[in-house]
Amino acid sequence: MSVFRLLSRLAAPIALAGLVCGLTACGQGQKATDDKPAQAPEATLPPTQSDSATLKAVLTRGRVNCGVHPGLIGFSYKDNSGRWRGFDADFCRALAAAIFSDADKVTYVPLTTTERFEALKTGKVDVLWRSTSWTLSRDAADQVDYAGINYYDGQGFLVRKSLRLNSATELNGARICVQTGSTSELNLADFFRARGLKYNPVVVKNEDEGRDAYAASQCDALSSDVSALAAARTTLSDPTAHTILPEIISKEPLGPVVRQGDDQWTDIVRWTLYATIVAEELGVTSQSVKADQLESQNPEVRRLLGSEGNLGGGLGLGPEWAYNIVSQVGNYGEIFDRNIGADSPLKLSRGLNAQWNAPERGLLYSPPVR
């Protein structure tokens, strides 16, 4: 092939690429000149021309339908005024803030353990933020995807201090309340089977029934995620009379679940979570975020908050998507502390949910915002 014919074949796609760049602002987020950083465009509503069927539906509806636990203290529950609160509920609000610049544009859909996946797959909810463990069988077989992990948990045992137990291995022959259809039921069977121990399962339909059965002494121990046990203990007549045994018998990575096949929506949910994590890592709080957006010289902070470039455009969101999350809901540490941490009745320690670079290091880690 002659050089001239080769060049003529290359010219058309090159010209087309130039036209596309002209229409879509290729290179946005790069420096405008060698010595002057590009200015962030003004915040706008996310574009309606999206490849995401879920995002289109959410924008048309004007609200995010978020599947949550019907009532788990610290994670998702209605307060005395009827307002949904909790760790998971706040992440639903963060998602609404990212999309609509308004954290209150959420419809909470309470779902039982058996209802949750069907509600997601049939479109009743856009995202499931409901203390749901990430497992291989669920990820591979349920037509759903996990968009991240917002809480590293594990299964344990709640018992009465009067039993003077020091280890779960001392529960041989005990009656143990466990919820049917949950990973907890399977983990419990594995734990006792692996150790050649016996137990008498008291199978319950949901967390409320499990708490009631335990409170009525229908079982010697209640087994569930440690976070759920901590919540259950606060509802008992004398929480100080009960303790959580030291053994953690499983890994329970909890996080948001979305339908398979909508990659853009998965990215939006995933980076909503990551925005709260990286904001805490960078020291950006709901109180400091406005000043940080205007005054910070840290390039990571400037990119996150939209004062430099528009990384939100890659998600189909406006440049201030992360600014709106942090200003209206807070960073990960703020969400944790007020709902389940030091400032809450549960007073759970950060443990594995500490930042990767904290003095007592945890597993919390976000990919770079760049």
Side-chain angles (χ1 to χ4, degrees):
M1 181 184 295
S2 70
V3 172
F4 295 106
R5 290 178 65 191
L6 176 62
L7 289 175
S8 66
R9 289 192 176 189
L10 292 173
I14 291 172
L16 178 59
L19 175 60
V20 172
C21 279
L23 292 173
T24 61
C26 287
Q28 191 172 24
Q30 301 295 321
K31 288 187 176 181
T33 66
D34 289 340
D35 55 3
K36 183 179 179 181
Q39 297 299 309
E42 292 186 9
T44 57
L45 287 174
T48 55
Q49 61 274 20
S50 167
D51 291 333
S52 169
T54 307
L55 180 58
K56 288 179 182 178
V58 168
L59 291 171
T60 300
R61 187 190 312 123
R63 302 182 73 81
V64 177
N65 288 342
C66 198
V68 295
H69 195 288
L72 182 60
I73 299 298
F75 285 84
S76 61
Y77 63 99
K78 280 187 176 182
D79 64 15
N80 293 334
S81 65
R83 179 180 174 85
W84 282 95
R85 297 189 180 277
F87 186 71
D88 288 339
D90 270 352
F91 280 105
C92 297
R93 299 183 67 245
L95 184 59
I99 297 169
F100 295 109
S101 306
D102 185 346
D104 290 330
K105 290 193 173 182
V106 180
T107 297
Y108 294 95
V109 183
L111 298 169
T112 66
T113 299
T114 54
E115 293 172 335
R116 53 185 169 175
F117 289 114
E118 192 63 24
L120 177 64
K121 288 186 286 185
T122 58
K124 182 177 181 179
V125 297
D126 307 307
V127 60
L128 192 64
W129 226 309
R130 190 207 171 280
S131 302
T132 301
S133 298
W134 190 344
T135 69
L136 187 154
S137 59
R138 288 174 174 174
D139 201 3
D142 275 345
Q143 297 89 53
V144 299
D145 280 326
Y146 286 76
I149 299 169
N150 71 321
Y151 191 82
Y152 292 90
D153 209 345
Q155 186 173 337
F157 299 89
L158 179 68
V159 298
R160 293 168 183 79
K161 289 182 179 179
S162 60
L163 294 178
R164 299 184 181 277
L165 298 177
N166 297 309
S167 169
T169 58
E170 297 175 305
L171 288 169
N172 191 24
R175 301 166 302 157
I176 302 178
C177 286
V178 64
Q179 185 177 347
T180 185
S182 65
T183 55
S184 297
E185 188 176 19
L186 301 176
N187 294 333
L188 188 63
D190 285 350
F191 177 79
F192 280 86
R193 178 183 174 188
R195 289 158 181 78
L197 303 175
K198 302 291 184 181
Y199 73 103
N200 296 307
V202 179
V203 179
V204 297
K205 294 180 180 178
N206 51 51
E207 287 90 345
D208 288 342
E209 188 175 310
R211 289 194 296 266
D212 291 345
Y214 176 78
S217 298
Q218 295 173 15
C219 51
D220 306 301
L222 175 63
S223 188
S224 186
D225 293 350
V226 169
S227 60
L229 297 179
R233 183 167 54 181
T234 65
T235 67
L236 298 172
S237 58
D238 181 9
T240 63
H242 306 266
T243 188
I244 297 173
L245 294 176
E247 283 95 343
I248 304 297
I249 69 170
S250 72
K251 295 180 293 184
E252 303 297 334
L254 311 178
V257 193
V258 295
R259 286 182 293 278
Q260 281 182 351
D262 195 334
D263 293 343
Q264 184 182 359
W265 179 250
T266 303
D267 286 342
I268 291 171
V269 175
R270 176 182 294 124
W271 281 97
T272 292
L273 168 60
Y274 283 153
T276 68
I277 294 173
V278 75
E280 182 187 21
E281 180 183 334
L282 295 172
V284 179
T285 71
S286 58
Q287 300 302 309
S288 72
V289 64
K290 186 172 183 178
D292 290 333
Q293 187 190 48
L294 296 173
E295 302 168 7
S296 177
Q297 298 304 307
N298 185 330
E300 290 184 271
V301 173
R302 294 178 63 80
R303 286 193 295 266
L304 177 69
L305 301 182
S307 49
E308 185 171 303
N310 178 19
L311 291 178
L315 298 171
L317 305 177
E320 293 191 324
W321 66 282
Y323 172 89
N324 291 325
I325 291 172
V326 180
S327 64
Q328 297 181 39
V329 186
N331 67 30
Y332 183 94
E334 292 177 288
I335 296 170
F336 188 101
D337 285 345
R338 70 169 169 259
N339 289 302
I340 57 178
D343 300 331
S344 77
L346 271 63
K347 299 194 180 303
L348 293 172
S349 66
R350 287 292 292 266
L352 295 178
N353 297 290
Q355 289 276 354
W356 66 280
N357 59 349
E360 295 184 11
R361 296 186 178 187
L363 299 178
L364 215 62
Y365 190 100
S366 168
V369 179
R370 59 180 315 116

